[in-house]
Amino acid sequence: MFFNRRRKKYQFLIDDFGMSLVFDKKSKYFDNYQIQLRSGDFILNYIMDRSFLNIYIESEYEDGYSLPLSFIRDYIYNPDHIGFFNFPDNDSNVNHLNDFIRKDFNKIVDLYSRDKYKITYNMIEQLLAEQRKN
């Protein structure tokens, strides 16, 4: 699956955007794995857990709290429906999210900057709370 082709999926982040690879490790159990890349303001985690692959983003300034990268995409392009769109398979999901990163890397950097991270986080939480009400 993705693990055998993993470097090809994230190498553009290193080559084009100067992110650094923190680790690329596979678990002994259930074929789970995690790949972590770091920029100046945020961390991306490609995580395979129980046959589901997703990309998570967390701030360099807020330890331990991450969101699916699709929430950031939806916050920018579809704020009324954060987290509603799913792809039929892991490869399609990761390709779509990688395309989002390529296209909107600077927007992501801006949303996760030291000054704006808390605003981004609070707005997403507010939008998710409003969605739960409806």
Side-chain angles (χ1 to χ4, degrees), residues 51-133:
S51 298
F52 183 74
L53 176 63
N54 206 346
I55 304 173
Y56 296 87
I57 185 168
E58 63 184 271
S59 171
E60 288 278 5
Y61 313 111
E62 180 80 20
D63 256 355
Y65 185 78
S66 64
L67 290 171
L69 184 62
S70 61
F71 282 23
I72 302 302
R73 178 202 61 218
D74 292 345
Y75 175 64
I76 293 170
Y77 291 107
N78 196 15
D80 294 333
H81 298 288
I82 293 176
F84 276 78
F85 194 78
N86 291 316
F87 285 88
D89 58 66
N90 287 330
D91 209 38
S92 297
N93 183 46
V94 169
N95 287 338
H96 183 77
L97 291 172
N98 280 342
D99 289 344
F100 165 65
I101 296 168
R102 280 183 187 95
K103 179 181 170 210
D104 292 311
F105 188 83
N106 291 330
K107 287 180 186 175
I108 298 167
V109 168
D110 185 51
L111 290 172
Y112 270 79
S113 68
R114 183 179 300 273
D115 297 334
K116 292 186 180 176
Y117 169 71
K118 282 290 189 190
I119 296 166
T120 301
Y121 168 78
N122 290 335
M123 287 300 298
I124 289 173
E125 287 294 316
Q126 180 182 342
L127 289 166
L128 288 170
E130 288 172 14
Q131 283 178 200
R132 283 190 292 271
K133 287 180 190 176

